[in-house]
Amino acid sequence: MVPDERGRTVAPDPACPVEVALAAVSGRWTTLVLRELMEGPLAFTELRRRLPRLSAKVLTERLGELRQRGLVAVRRQAGFPTRSSYTLTEAGHALRPLLVTLYTTGDALLRLAPPTHRPGRLR
């Protein structure tokens, strides 16, 4: 199951490819922001429109984290007001298969063991 020695750790290790992949998509709303950006560059306001329950504060935090991880780039356009466009980097686009697999796996788990309680409301 482990293709090479990097995955044979005895404790969580930031150099383990599984840990790297999980860290890339960690954080509430992160997968949804990534999903929206998979379609192409979007302005901050367009991301807010597509994810109306996501606050501006949290969106700003998620975009900052994704930029720090090297998954999202921002392009600022001159003018007043300054407009920003967010796009996935090559590393960000590399997450597509992971997100698809997570969705497929989650769907299978829901079919095999449906939740016995109603999931909490996302904020």
Side-chain angles (χ1 to χ4, degrees):
M1 180 168 159
V2 180
D4 61 43
E5 290 305 310
R6 295 174 298 166
R8 297 193 189 284
T9 62
V10 295
D13 183 338
C16 173
V18 172
E19 294 293 328
V20 170
L22 290 175
V25 297
S26 70
R28 194 171 201 171
W29 292 98
T30 300
T31 56
L32 299 179
V33 172
L34 289 168
R35 178 195 69 196
E36 295 304 323
L37 291 173
M38 287 287 169
E39 294 180 22
L42 292 172
F44 186 89
T45 54
E46 179 62 14
L47 280 166
R48 288 283 324 277
R49 188 187 70 71
R50 291 180 180 210
L51 300 168
R53 293 177 62 187
L54 174 57
S55 72
K57 177 182 182 277
V58 173
L59 178 55
T60 299
E61 290 171 0
R62 290 305 157 264
L63 288 169
E65 290 167 3
L66 290 167
R67 285 181 67 203
Q68 286 181 325
R69 295 175 191 164
L71 303 172
V72 168
V74 62
R75 189 181 87 204
R76 305 224 190 270
Q77 299 170 356
F80 185 81
T82 302
R83 297 186 190 274
S84 298
S85 177
Y86 296 88
T87 188
L88 292 179
T89 63
E90 186 177 347
H93 280 289
L95 292 171
R96 180 183 293 277
L98 173 62
L99 294 174
V100 170
T101 299
L102 286 171
Y103 184 94
T104 304
T105 303
D107 184 52
L109 290 172
L110 287 170
R111 292 171 193 264
L112 293 170
T116 56
H117 66 284
R118 186 173 174 209
R121 180 178 166 191
L122 292 178
R123 296 178 198 257

